[in-house]
Amino acid sequence: MKRIIIHWTAGTYSPNSVELEHYHYLIGYEKLPTERGIIHTGKYKPEQNLCCTDGSPYAAHTGGGNTGSIGVAICGMLGYRDIKHIGNYPIKPVQMEKCYELCAKLCREYDIPIEKSTVLTHYEFGKKNPMTTSRGKVDIMYLSSNPSLPSNKIGDFIRNKIFWYFDKQEKELQKQKEEGQKKLEKEQKKKERELKKQKA
């Protein structure tokens, strides 16, 4: 996979069957507190988008940019028209944080650099590719968790947050690796002591 494209569903806080077909991952905001920010897995795996021109089924999330792209969507924004009319399903902060964290994991798993050309919103893709059906897409050009942020700065904000989570995950993995190494060394020393006792 070569990139991640981030969307909002323009639906409610729970993914419906159509949305599950169009995105690989969807972040909901269910009624139960334990389900707020839960990640739903779509019908198709990211690898099914490696080639979208051979007739095989795939997640059609970005017109003109599906091949090689992982589609991540935040459930919500039904009724959005503009920043003064955002509808009754504004994206919640917990959904965005889960999105950043998920994208960081995907960047590591698929070796995707966190750059403008490889981690971007559907809105940004449409701006860069005006000859595709993604032209004029509004997702994501408004963040209810940061409403003063202008639409042309949202992509950079999202990438910075993803990078923060990526760095945090790297440090956690390094810590686990070091702890695992210490455990192995401790076990090795224990075995050596036992061998010495047996020989004595």
Side-chain angles (χ1 to χ4, degrees), residues 5-22:
I5 300 178
I6 305 166
H7 311 253
W8 66 44
T9 62
T12 66
Y13 290 134
S14 297
N16 59 37
S17 59
V18 174
E19 291 162 356
L20 288 166
E21 283 191 15
H22 282 79

Side-chain angles (χ1 to χ4, degrees), residues 42-110:
K43 182 178 179 180
Y44 302 109
K45 294 179 180 179
E47 289 75 13
Q48 288 178 267
N49 277 55
L50 280 169
C51 179
C52 301
T53 57
D54 61 1
S56 301
Y58 64 91
H61 55 83
T62 303
N66 289 302
T67 295
S69 299
I70 302 172
V72 174
I74 301 103
C75 296
M77 300 306 289
L78 176 66
Y80 174 85
R81 290 185 304 189
D82 53 50
I83 60 172
K84 292 182 179 178
H85 306 88
I86 64 170
N88 296 322
Y89 295 89
I91 292 171
K92 303 293 185 180
V94 66
Q95 289 176 283
M96 290 310 302
E97 294 300 322
K98 286 288 182 180
C99 175
Y100 307 142
E101 185 178 16
L102 170 62
C103 288
K105 288 178 182 176
L106 293 171
C107 284
R108 177 175 293 100
E109 182 179 348
Y110 291 97

